[in-house]
Amino acid sequence: MSAKTPSEETKAQTKASSGEMATDKRRVQQNDDASGERSEAGSSSAREDAAIHIYATIAFIVIIIVIGVPMWWKTTEVYRVSLPYSEIRALNEDPIKATFRLGLYCQSAERREILSFELRKKFEQNFVFELDLQLLSLDADTLSTIKTPARLEAELQKHYPSTLGHFLFIEWPKLDDDILVTSDRTAFISESASSLKAYQVLSSWLLQEYKLKAILGSRDAQQTLMGRQLRLNSAPLQAQYEVLITVLNPRPELQKVHWNARAAAENYIEPFLSELSGITNFTIKTQWIYQVGLEGAGAQPKQVPDDSKLGRHYALAEDSLPHIITSLEKKLGTQITDNPCIHLVVYVPPCAQAPLRIYRKDGQRAAPLASNVEAFTSAKWGGIVFANPAEATCVRYMETEQFSDVYIHAQDVMPVLLYQLRKIFDLENNTPLLDATLVPYSTIEPRAWEVDTFMRTNTIYLVHSATTTLQSLIQLLGGIEYIVINDEVGAAIQTAHRKIVAAKQQLRAGRLQQAALLAREAYTSAERAFFDPSMLALLYFPDEQKYAIYIPLFLPIMIPVVFSFNTILKYFRKRKATKAKEE
């Protein structure tokens, strides 16, 4: 073996050293490549995590804004049915007008033409009524057989039948007054009667324009019309009434009252009210109450000597009558019904406190309405009749002081109750007209033209009242937006509006019966809508209070959502810049 020289050893070492350095370089390069790959992988994972975070935030915002907010708004909104606001506000633009159909018969064609012309002129400026005047005539053969005004009236009614709301003027030469108004829908006029007198009878008695001026709020409502103050003497008409006839026997241990109150109600009250039922409904009830006297009402009748067989009577002061009503009302049991009640009370005093007499404030006795019967009326409540026992019954009682039988006669009491009903419904006509006369009231039922007047006046009142109620309600609902208007209230308002419009059309066409039914339905629907309790459901929960409750709940959630918009914006800007750099 040959030995290596020093130069050869040096070369070998240098070569080995170069190989190691190359190996190290390769290792460093490999490490750098691996590190770069790991760095790229980490950067890609971070971008994916950021994207997931951004898209999750966007999804959360979409759910909150697109789904959550509309759902909250929908579930917290107040339910309000669409209503005809503008149509209801415009109801006053079409004033209430009623057609009055009048027939006129005169023996002379010339007089007939003159009267018709003058009557039409007087109705031209009427604030409510439009005159539909029909000129009537009969052939010569028919006239030759007529000898009495009743026969003339019958013939005209046969050829020109008058229905509800119609009226006839019939000329008859032999009359004590210029105009004689009958109990039917007719009036006789003399040959000298003027058109002015005829118009006064129509305006004051049949059409009762003074009432309509008070109802419709005319400026003349506080002025006088032919000597009468313009005011309504009765309470406003209601759609339903309870008529309660009560018999009071304060001392049943001392007297027994004999009277068939139910039969009296069926024979007297029911026929009277049935004539008025074309515009309002009535339910008639009777009851007996015992042990209820005047002592608890603050009324102390004072004994007054007189020249009767009893030698005295008991005076009841007029000032104490309202206290009697207040005391009795608590004991009549009318709280069981929601309908307005008309009380007709028949009080039978015991002989120890009979007969009762009513005295006015001036110390004079009030005029009795019937034999041994005293009464007074309250327009908004009803009336009380003091049916005193017969004088002979009380004489026997005073002699023996034993139990007595008291008999009430319907012919004494019931005319007074009917008179009170006429006062309550304002059928009594107290407007005197010179040279004009009314045929005396002689039947249980009201006069035919009184029924027409009652229905006509109250139809106009119901239409006007329903209109006022609807407009007040619409103003309230339009001003307070958080009042609930459910389907029932909306239907009632729309029904009332339709019925008002239809009732006005029927009045203008002269169809009084149809107009009365529509007016009653309109009034009932308007009142039902106005007093519906559902409208008060959110009356004390306005929008301001709703926001005050919900803002503290949603604000902590919405603050991060709002700030997330900045993060999302930065992310998409950076992403856009990166793509641009790579390109």
Side-chain angles (χ1 to χ4, degrees):
M1 176 180 300
S2 60
K4 293 182 180 179
T5 62
S7 59
E8 290 177 348
E9 290 180 358
T10 301
K11 289 180 181 180
Q13 290 176 354
T14 301
K15 188 176 182 179
S17 179
S18 297
E20 290 176 358
M21 289 177 64
T23 301
D24 291 339
K25 287 181 180 181
R26 285 195 299 272
R27 288 176 180 174
V28 170
Q29 184 66 35
Q30 290 175 355
N31 290 336
D32 290 341
D33 293 340
S35 176
E37 291 176 358
R38 285 195 298 269
S39 176
E40 291 177 359
S43 176
S44 176
S45 177
R47 286 196 298 270
E48 291 177 359
D49 292 341
I52 292 173
H53 175 73
I54 291 299
Y55 287 118
T57 302
I58 293 174
F60 182 75
I61 292 174
V62 169
I63 293 174
I64 291 293
I65 296 178
V66 178
I67 299 177
V69 172
M71 183 179 295
W72 164 75
W73 188 265
K74 184 65 177 177
T75 55
T76 57
E77 72 175 354
V78 176
Y79 183 73
R80 292 168 66 90
V81 174
S82 178
L83 297 176
Y85 289 92
S86 58
E87 291 85 349
I88 293 176
R89 292 191 185 99
L91 283 174
N92 286 337
E93 297 177 3
D94 180 24
I96 300 174
K97 290 289 185 180
T99 296
F100 175 60
R101 291 198 170 98
L102 177 66
L104 177 62
Y105 170 80
C106 295
Q107 294 181 354
S108 167
E110 181 182 359
R111 174 168 167 77
R112 186 165 59 239
E113 292 295 333
I114 292 174
L115 280 179
S116 64
F117 174 78
E118 293 177 349
L119 284 174
R120 287 191 177 100
K121 291 292 289 183
K122 293 184 183 302
F123 273 91
E124 282 182 357
Q125 303 300 324
N126 196 284
F127 68 103
V128 172
F129 294 105
E130 297 176 349
L131 181 63
D132 180 9
L133 184 59
Q134 183 180 10
L135 304 182
L136 312 180
S137 61
L138 293 174
D139 57 80
D141 293 338
T142 304
L143 287 173
S144 64
T145 63
I146 295 175
K147 305 299 181 182
T148 63
R151 178 65 188 278
L152 177 58
E153 180 184 17
E155 287 294 333
L156 287 172
Q157 293 276 18
K158 184 190 301 182
H159 290 81
Y160 307 99
S162 59
T163 57
L164 185 69
H166 293 197
F167 197 76
L168 297 180
F169 272 141
I170 304 172
E171 186 183 68
W172 185 257
K174 299 177 181 179
L175 287 180
D176 294 334
D177 295 305
D178 286 343
I179 299 180
L180 176 65
V181 181
T182 71
S183 295
D184 206 347
R185 296 182 174 93
T186 57
F188 291 97
I189 61 175
S190 67
E191 293 177 333
S192 60
S194 65
S195 60
L196 176 60
K197 181 63 64 178
Y199 180 76
Q200 288 177 344
V201 169
L202 293 176
S203 175
S204 298
W205 290 356
L206 274 77
L207 303 179
Q208 296 187 350
E209 293 183 2
Y210 61 89
K211 290 184 183 178
L212 298 180
K213 288 179 180 179
I215 289 171
L216 300 177
S218 170
R219 292 181 179 180
D220 298 332
Q222 302 302 323
Q223 300 176 3
T224 57
L225 178 64
M226 290 172 288
R228 176 171 179 171
Q229 185 70 22
L230 294 178
R231 59 186 178 88
L232 292 178
N233 296 321
S234 61
L237 186 73
Q238 303 296 321
Q240 177 74 37
Y241 286 99
E242 300 277 346
V243 179
L244 182 59
I245 302 174
T246 304
V247 184
L248 295 181
N249 184 359
R251 300 295 297 275
E253 73 280 5
L254 297 180
Q255 64 179 6
K256 181 178 181 181
V257 179
H258 299 270
W259 188 40
N260 191 340
R262 176 174 295 182
E266 293 175 353
N267 294 331
Y268 289 86
I269 304 298
E270 188 173 342
F272 180 89
L273 294 178
S274 65
E275 294 295 320
L276 308 181
S277 60
I279 194 170
T280 185
N281 294 324
F282 299 95
T283 302
I284 304 174
K285 298 179 181 179
T286 60
Q287 66 175 352
W288 288 71
I289 297 180
Y290 301 92
Q291 302 292 350
V292 175
L294 301 180
E295 295 79 6
Q300 296 296 333
K302 296 180 180 180
Q303 183 173 322
V304 179
D306 59 20
D307 56 357
S308 66
K309 293 181 179 180
L310 294 173
R312 87 291 184 269
H313 64 268
Y314 288 86
L316 196 60
E318 192 177 41
D319 295 341
S320 65
L321 300 181
H323 302 290
I324 295 175
I325 291 178
T326 303
S327 176
L328 291 179
E329 192 170 17
K330 302 175 183 178
K331 303 172 183 179
L332 296 180
T334 55
Q335 62 274 12
I336 61 176
T337 178
D338 294 332
N339 297 321
C341 187
I342 298 175
H343 296 281
L344 299 177
V345 179
V346 179
Y347 180 83
V348 185
C351 285
Q353 292 183 344
L356 285 174
R357 305 289 187 234
I358 298 176
Y359 278 75
R360 298 193 300 266
K361 295 179 181 179
D362 58 3
Q364 299 297 317
R365 183 186 166 190
L369 295 175
S371 175
N372 215 30
V373 173
E374 300 282 330
F376 70 95
T377 306
S378 174
K380 296 183 180 181
W381 185 82
I384 297 180
V385 175
F386 298 104
N388 294 304
E391 187 178 55
T393 300
C394 288
V395 168
R396 287 193 300 270
Y397 172 80
M398 297 303 292
E399 291 174 351
T400 62
E401 293 189 356
Q402 294 180 356
F403 190 85
S404 59
D405 291 300
V406 179
Y407 293 89
I408 303 298
H409 301 288
Q411 61 267 26
D412 295 332
V413 174
M414 297 312 295
V416 180
L417 294 181
L418 291 176
Y419 174 78
Q420 289 179 331
L421 285 175
R422 290 177 61 84
K423 295 286 288 184
I424 290 169
F425 292 111
D426 208 12
L427 298 178
E428 283 296 304
N429 198 312
N430 299 321
T431 306
L433 292 176
L434 185 65
D435 294 329
T437 307
L438 284 171
V439 171
Y441 179 71
S442 60
T443 60
I444 293 176
E445 297 85 359
R447 300 180 180 96
W449 60 266
E450 287 179 335
V451 175
D452 296 354
T453 300
F454 176 81
M455 291 187 62
R456 185 184 299 111
T457 302
N458 286 286
T459 296
I460 293 174
Y461 163 76
L462 292 179
V463 171
H464 176 72
S465 179
T467 302
T468 304
T469 300
L470 273 193
Q471 290 178 337
S472 299
L473 182 57
I474 286 298
Q475 183 179 0
L476 177 68
L477 296 178
I480 306 177
E481 297 181 354
Y482 46 82
I483 293 182
V484 176
I485 308 177
N486 60 26
D487 294 333
E488 293 181 0
V489 173
I493 293 175
Q494 292 173 353
T495 299
H497 175 252
R498 290 196 305 271
K499 300 297 183 181
I500 288 172
V501 174
K504 285 183 175 181
Q505 293 173 350
Q506 296 297 327
L507 275 174
R508 193 179 290 273
R511 292 186 281 270
L512 184 56
Q513 182 65 62
Q514 294 88 333
L517 295 176
L518 291 167
R520 184 174 67 182
E521 294 176 8
Y523 177 82
T524 303
S525 297
E527 292 292 307
R528 184 171 64 251
F530 191 87
F531 293 104
D532 193 286
S534 67
M535 290 195 295
L536 302 178
L538 291 181
L539 187 57
Y540 298 103
F541 193 58
D543 291 339
E544 293 81 2
Q545 189 171 354
K546 180 167 64 176
Y547 297 145
I549 292 174
Y550 286 111
I551 286 178
L553 179 64
F554 284 98
L555 193 59
I557 300 175
M558 295 304 296
I559 289 176
V561 171
V562 172
F563 285 122
S564 296
F565 281 105
N566 188 34
T567 304
I568 295 171
L569 186 61
K570 288 181 178 180
Y571 170 77
F572 281 106
R573 285 179 178 175
K574 183 178 179 181
R575 182 179 176 183
K576 184 178 180 180
T578 303
K579 286 185 177 180
K581 184 177 180 181
E582 290 177 352
E583 290 176 357

